[in-house]
Amino acid sequence: MSLFLVLFSGFYRENWIYVHKESTRERHGYCTLGEAFNRLDFSSAIQDIRRFNYVVKLLQLIAKSQLTSLSGAAQKNYFNILDKIVQKVLEDQYNPRLIKDLLQDLSSTLCMLIRSVGKSVLVGNINIWICRLETILMWQQQLSNLQMTKHINNGLTLSDLPLHMLNNILHRFSDGWDIITLGQVTPTLYMLSEDRQLWKKLCQYHFAEKQFCRHLVLSEKGHIDWKLMYFALQKCYPIKEQYGDTLQFCRHCSILFWKDTGHPCTANDPTGCFTPVSPQHFIDLFKF
């Protein structure tokens, strides 16, 4: 085996991808979303609870704006990963709301593109896309029929925790819908989830004070209704995103990678070159 083949085979096993800085023919042929799906092993990433929300958000952004730019290989990878996500949610009942939102955005985009076939560019046979839409609708039906099962546990449960610990848990949530969902579990959690200070802190975390002034929502007593404020502001401004783990970009090597897998960095201080990559930033790296 030639030295080139040895080096290439070793290189290909690495779970990272080099992102070319210029828009070149080499970049178009190698540095693609489809290749990134493979090299960064998104199929395995969704099994990691720290990365699940990150990957789902990334697929949701692609569904909203990048479907028409996916190559045939990227489409196949995208829907294979999506299938694994749906099956995981159906089996583990983990965060069904998140995947429901993704499928809703995907079905809406596909319906619009299929109706305007000839005016828009969908890579691949239109019948394949219609079959994919039918699969998405089937997944949506399966998720709507999903029954959350209660696990029998004779040990300590959430309801057994003291009020200050339950309150502390709620204050660690950064998504208002998660707070509402937890508040539906018990009357005590509902009471805690309606606390004005909880929603005020959530608003202050996600939004600037000048944004509050533009969208003041007052209660009947004349006080600011922070809960309604949060959802009103959410419709107008992006909220801060929080993930257990994100992809990293090395500014020195121009390499994209998961932090725990690393990459062969040549910088004197590698960690000083790492930058967290948001889902939107990830997509921007592959726009030509």
Side-chain angles (χ1 to χ4, degrees):
M1 184 182 291
S2 67
L3 178 60
F4 172 79
L5 290 177
V6 172
L7 291 173
F8 181 79
S9 61
F11 174 82
Y12 191 76
R13 285 195 297 268
E14 300 292 346
N15 292 326
W16 45 264
I17 185 169
Y18 176 73
V19 181
H20 296 262
K21 296 179 181 178
E22 293 82 21
S23 179
T24 64
R25 180 179 298 178
E26 181 182 9
R27 178 178 179 182
H28 281 272
Y30 167 71
C31 187
T32 64
L33 276 173
E35 184 66 19
F37 287 158
N38 280 332
R39 294 292 300 278
L40 298 170
D41 198 9
F42 281 4
S43 292
S44 297
I46 62 172
Q47 302 302 325
D48 188 328
I49 195 171
R50 300 170 304 162
R51 299 174 180 172
F52 181 87
N53 290 6
Y54 182 90
V55 176
V56 172
K57 180 64 175 179
L58 175 57
L59 295 190
Q60 188 174 22
L61 290 174
I62 292 174
K64 289 181 176 180
S65 63
Q66 299 296 309
L67 269 185
T68 56
S69 67
L70 294 182
S71 66
Q75 292 172 24
K76 185 176 180 180
N77 289 337
Y78 181 95
F79 283 95
N80 282 341
I81 295 169
L82 186 57
D83 181 37
K84 291 180 179 179
I85 289 175
V86 172
Q87 299 313 315
K88 177 178 175 59
V89 174
L90 291 173
E91 292 171 9
D92 300 347
Q93 303 175 355
Y94 178 73
N95 210 341
R97 179 177 60 81
L98 197 64
I99 186 63
K100 285 179 181 179
D101 290 344
L102 164 58
L103 292 177
Q104 182 58 48
D105 288 335
L106 185 56
S107 62
S108 298
T109 301
L110 269 183
C111 284
M112 180 182 64
L113 291 173
I114 289 173
R115 288 195 196 101
S116 59
V117 64
K119 300 178 182 178
S120 60
V121 180
L122 270 176
V123 178
N125 189 294
I126 186 63
N127 293 321
I128 295 177
W129 284 104
I130 292 174
C131 288
R132 286 171 175 162
L133 178 57
E134 290 174 348
T135 300
I136 292 167
L137 296 175
M138 179 192 70
W139 285 337
Q140 288 179 306
Q141 186 62 46
Q142 290 176 333
L143 288 168
S144 67
N145 295 334
L146 181 64
Q147 298 293 324
M148 305 299 283
T149 58
K150 294 183 179 180
H151 298 281
I152 299 174
N153 187 345
N154 295 325
L156 188 69
T157 66
L158 191 64
S159 301
D160 298 321
L161 296 176
L163 284 178
H164 74 276
M165 292 186 68
L166 292 173
N167 197 45
N168 190 32
I169 291 172
L170 284 166
H171 276 266
R172 292 180 181 274
F173 284 4
S174 61
D175 189 309
W177 285 111
D178 289 336
I179 293 174
I180 289 176
T181 300
L182 187 58
Q184 295 171 347
V185 175
T186 67
T188 299
L189 284 168
Y190 175 76
M191 175 194 69
L192 294 173
S193 70
E194 290 294 305
D195 180 59
R196 288 184 70 252
Q197 290 302 314
L198 171 65
W199 290 97
K200 180 179 180 179
K201 288 183 178 179
L202 193 64
C203 286
Q204 290 173 334
Y205 172 75
H206 286 291
F207 309 108
E209 187 173 348
K210 62 181 180 180
Q211 294 170 337
F212 298 159
C213 299
R214 296 173 186 168
H215 302 275
L216 278 178
V217 180
L218 301 179
S219 66
E220 293 180 356
K221 297 181 179 179
H223 301 301
I224 295 177
D225 191 323
W226 291 103
K227 181 179 177 181
L228 292 180
M229 278 274 289
Y230 169 82
F231 290 105
L233 291 167
Q234 189 184 42
K235 294 178 181 179
C236 303
Y237 308 103
I239 63 174
K240 292 181 180 178
E241 297 177 355
Q242 277 192 342
Y243 303 101
D245 191 17
T246 67
L247 285 168
Q248 303 283 316
F249 181 71
C250 178
R251 298 186 301 275
H252 179 77
C253 305
S254 296
I255 282 178
L256 196 61
F257 63 99
W258 292 108
K259 195 169 185 178
D260 60 355
T261 60
H263 77 285
C265 187
T266 58
N268 294 328
D269 179 22
T271 56
C273 303
F274 299 168
T275 302
V277 176
S278 69
Q280 184 60 58
H281 185 197
F282 175 92
I283 291 176
D284 292 342
L285 287 172
F286 293 92
K287 284 182 178 177
F288 307 122

